[in-house]
Amino acid sequence: AHAGYYTGFLASAFMIGRTATAFLWGLAADRWGKRRVLILGLLGQAFGCFWLGLATNYTLAVVCRVVTGVLAPVIPVAKALIPLLTTKDQEHRGMSVVIGMWGFGLIVGPAFGGLLAYPCRFAPEVFSGIWCERPFLLPFFLVGVLNLTGVVAVLAMKPAHSQGETVVREVARKPEADTEPGRGVSVEKV
């Protein structure tokens, strides 16, 4: 009778952690660079997925979700990187890809998670031991590995700018920009 309440609270626990630290992650990205924070966030997400897959009770699962939310700067940092990685006329496409893939993941992720849960039931000849003791370990383990793959991809990519380099970009000028010092220029740390 209370399954909806417990499921909803478990699902919202991630956003509780993320909301509590979003501003701090933004400051960290500005101070240490978006690429470093993106890598740290992907590592944090991998850790959170592995830990949640090993959770033995509901309380631990909620704590795992909150901690995973605390370690979740990936989407905001990805959105912040779009203007630095695309031309001005391509920014809308970059933002559409990030938001579209996020939505795709929110739909496909739970479906695959449900299919891969309880692996000892659908492939007992392959899975035994801890995979049977922790029936949700397989889907969370695979998502953790996917996050680690993201870390490798970010490390393999050549940075758009050197870490910590200050980037000065011209932004749309307003008529009053000529009279106010500093207006019309955006300074960002990559």
Side-chain angles (χ1 to χ4, degrees):
H2 299 288
Y5 169 80
Y6 290 114
T7 302
F9 191 74
L10 183 62
S12 65
F14 175 86
M15 291 307 290
I16 290 169
R18 183 171 166 196
T19 302
T21 58
F23 182 74
L24 297 174
W25 280 118
L27 291 175
D30 289 341
R31 181 174 181 149
W32 297 309
K34 293 170 184 61
R35 187 169 191 247
R36 289 180 182 154
V37 170
L38 185 61
I39 291 168
L40 185 60
L42 287 167
L43 289 171
Q45 295 299 291
F47 166 77
C49 288
F50 296 142
W51 190 26
L52 184 57
L54 294 169
T56 55
N57 58 56
Y58 180 77
T59 303
L60 182 57
V62 169
V63 170
C64 292
R65 291 293 289 164
V66 171
V67 170
T68 304
V70 165
L71 300 173
V74 175
I75 295 295
V77 171
K79 289 179 182 178
L81 281 169
I82 290 169
L84 301 173
L85 300 175
T86 62
T87 61
K88 189 70 176 164
D89 61 328
Q90 294 295 317
E91 280 184 31
H92 67 284
R93 288 189 181 167
M95 188 64 73
S96 296
V97 169
V98 170
I99 293 171
M101 289 298 101
W102 184 24
F104 179 76
L106 288 174
I107 294 168
V108 173
F112 276 110
L115 290 172
L116 295 172
Y118 296 95
C120 294
R121 290 184 185 168
F122 66 80
E125 62 282 348
V126 177
F127 296 100
S128 62
I130 194 166
W131 302 103
C132 297
E133 297 166 17
R134 306 286 186 272
F136 300 103
L137 179 57
L138 180 60
F140 285 112
F141 176 79
L142 293 175
V143 172
V145 168
L146 188 60
N147 278 287
L148 293 177
T149 303
V151 170
V152 172
V154 171
L155 288 171
M157 293 171 135
K158 180 181 174 191
H161 305 283
S162 300
Q163 283 296 334
E165 177 184 335
T166 301
V167 178
V168 179
R169 297 188 314 143
E170 287 293 321
V171 294
R173 289 188 177 270
K174 296 181 180 178
E176 67 273 9
D178 294 329
T179 59
E180 296 180 40
R183 297 288 307 254
V185 174
S186 173
V187 178
E188 302 176 34
K189 193 170 188 180
V190 187

